[in-house]
Amino acid sequence: MNIPFLSLREVTALHGEEIREAARRVIDYGWYLQGRENERFEQDYAKYIGTDFCVGCANGLDALIWIFRAYIEMGIMSAGDEVIVPANTYIATILAITENGLIPVLAEPRLNTLEIDDENIEEHITARTKAVCLVHLYGRNAYTERIGALCKKYNLKLIEDNAQAHGCHTPDGRKTGSAGDAAGHSFYPGKNLGALGDGGAVTTDDPALAETVRALANYGSQKKYVFKYAGRNSRLDEIQAAILDVKLKYLDEDNAHRKAIAGYYYENITNRLITLPDRLPEGQNVYHLFPVLVSDGRRDALQDYLAGCGIGTVIHYPIPPHKQECYARQGWNLPQLQLPVTEKIAAEELSLPIGPAITMEEVKVVVECINGF
């Protein structure tokens, strides 16, 4: 049996005819940027997330970049200010901070949740700290009441990287992406809500932030040929907006299938080498990924074994951001940091197949192979 980690062709086929019709509608209408499809999707996605505003942009990294850049343009942050961010994340979260001349302050995660340790944040706050950037990594909610209270206590902006958590809820029932002051979203094809190409968005309740982000992503212009900011071209195209609006209708249904797969993994994986992260309460995990930790240095051996069984897996992520060469080359001191929990996760994490197109029969085969390793 061949069980891919994620087949985008099969995922697209689930709603294929509606997606093709949406693309045809845009093509036939003849308006391909900043038109009615963007307007419709932005309204629908803002309503879904529970914010007043949604601004589409080119990708998830840009969404985060524009949030920080907007706060700089608004005079709320300036180069050299610090942003506390989880050390265990995809590098895009940290790139958005350094891109703006801000200083990333990396905080360790909890090993049992893989998310930022909210007891490890306050010790990193200094007079230069202006924000906490949460990452709902793997589709798991990272927001806690303690984090919200810390941001209020120290007057810090709370920014969410919601690239992997479309449809996830916080403990108080809000959608992730609406818990902070602003959130960046990615619609990369493999996400729970994925386009057929790159795409991203910013959600917020702050009208000034939304207006600034929209201008920055449109060359810095709020009026044609008039440029308030030195911006860039970072826009969500009409075809992707139309496709995303189709897939948004099925997001909760697709997430429910992911939860069923995860439930089977939690209840049936028994291999002593495998540690599963804590199972979060209902609604607080949309299982963009299903990460496990493999002990005794056997992670790569398990990955090879599963490949031999025809089962695809992916490591998220083999080199943590603070160990990446790019930061050493730029003179940042991140590679000098010692972050043992993050480094342990990087050495042991393996993501199992999960997605809306994978069948429960395939999931049973995955579990049988894992338990037989």
Side-chain angles (χ1 to χ4, degrees):
M1 182 177 287
N2 178 40
I3 304 174
F5 176 73
L6 180 68
S7 170
L8 293 179
R9 180 182 60 81
E10 293 179 5
V11 170
T12 302
L14 293 174
H15 315 298
E17 187 50 46
E18 285 185 73
I19 289 171
R20 283 187 286 272
E21 176 54 36
R24 282 194 294 265
R25 183 175 70 245
V26 175
I27 292 168
D28 291 345
Y29 186 64
W31 191 284
Y32 306 126
L33 284 169
Q34 296 182 301
R36 62 184 186 179
E37 300 294 346
N38 260 268
E39 182 178 355
R40 180 185 298 115
F41 173 68
E42 288 178 350
Q43 291 175 350
D44 290 345
Y45 194 60
K47 181 179 180 181
Y48 179 82
I49 294 295
T51 56
D52 291 338
F53 303 99
C54 170
V55 181
C57 60
N59 54 68
L61 172 58
D62 277 5
L64 291 171
I65 287 173
W66 300 136
I67 291 171
F68 289 112
R69 173 71 183 282
Y71 280 132
I72 290 172
E73 295 289 355
M74 295 163 67
I76 294 171
M77 298 180 190
S78 59
D81 286 341
E82 297 173 354
V83 178
I84 297 172
V85 62
N88 181 42
T89 185
Y90 184 56
I91 197 171
T93 318
I94 300 170
L95 287 173
I97 297 168
T98 58
E99 172 81 7
N100 282 289
L102 302 169
I103 309 298
V105 178
L106 275 57
E108 285 270 60
R110 285 196 176 106
L111 193 59
N112 63 319
T113 67
L114 310 181
E115 306 295 333
I116 194 169
D117 185 346
D118 61 2
E119 295 182 356
N120 189 31
I121 293 176
E122 191 165 18
E123 67 187 63
H124 293 294
I125 297 174
T126 72
R128 297 292 299 179
T129 307
K130 292 297 175 66
V132 174
C133 184
L134 283 185
V135 184
H136 304 293
L137 199 65
Y138 315 117
R140 299 171 60 89
N141 165 64
Y143 176 83
T144 67
E145 290 185 4
R146 178 193 288 266
I147 292 172
L150 281 173
C151 289
K152 290 180 180 178
K153 177 180 178 180
Y154 292 98
N155 193 29
L156 305 177
K157 292 296 183 184
L158 179 57
I159 298 162
E160 299 172 82
D161 181 341
N162 202 51
Q164 298 186 0
H166 314 92
C168 185
H169 288 82
T170 64
D172 58 9
R174 292 176 292 174
K175 290 263 180 45
T176 58
S178 70
D181 295 284
H185 306 254
S186 170
F187 305 125
Y188 180 79
K191 305 298 188 186
N192 291 39
L193 180 61
L196 300 191
D198 276 322
V202 172
T203 55
T204 183
D205 287 331
D206 184 342
L209 179 72
E211 182 181 31
T212 306
V213 166
R214 190 176 297 281
L216 287 167
N218 186 36
Y219 298 99
S221 174
Q222 293 171 314
K223 180 181 179 182
K224 193 168 185 178
Y225 302 133
V226 178
F227 302 93
K228 184 175 181 179
Y229 311 107
R232 290 213 315 245
N233 177 10
S234 176
R235 299 176 298 206
L236 181 66
D237 72 66
E238 287 286 277
I239 287 180
Q240 300 304 340
I243 290 169
L244 287 166
D245 209 48
V246 169
K247 297 182 76 173
L248 180 59
K249 296 186 300 182
Y250 300 100
L251 178 56
D252 289 344
E253 177 185 324
D254 291 345
N255 283 345
H257 185 66
R258 290 175 180 270
K259 292 173 186 177
I261 293 170
Y264 191 86
Y265 282 150
Y266 270 111
E267 293 159 12
N268 293 281
I269 291 176
T270 58
N271 191 310
R272 67 172 184 83
L273 295 170
I274 307 298
T275 300
L276 279 61
D278 285 358
R279 195 170 185 175
L280 296 178
E282 175 62 28
Q284 293 184 42
N285 195 344
V286 290
Y287 299 100
H288 171 59
L289 301 171
F290 194 91
V292 301
L293 300 180
V294 187
S295 63
D296 296 347
R298 302 298 303 282
R299 191 264 309 278
D300 293 351
L302 174 59
Q303 185 175 42
D304 290 343
Y305 171 81
L306 292 175
C309 297
I311 297 169
T313 58
V314 176
I315 298 169
H316 294 95
Y317 302 93
I319 305 174
H322 69 285
K323 294 297 184 184
Q324 294 291 348
E325 182 182 355
C326 62
Y327 284 119
R329 289 167 60 88
Q330 292 184 10
W332 293 86
N333 67 356
L334 299 188
Q336 302 171 28
L337 297 177
Q338 299 299 314
L339 297 166
V341 179
T342 296
E343 291 164 20
K344 178 179 176 65
I345 293 170
E348 297 187 357
E349 194 276 344
L350 188 67
S351 296
L352 306 182
I354 196 164
I358 297 173
T359 68
M360 293 307 297
E361 289 72 22
E362 290 172 325
V363 173
K364 292 176 182 178
V365 172
V366 173
V367 170
E368 290 173 3
C369 290
I370 288 174
N371 289 340
F373 175 68

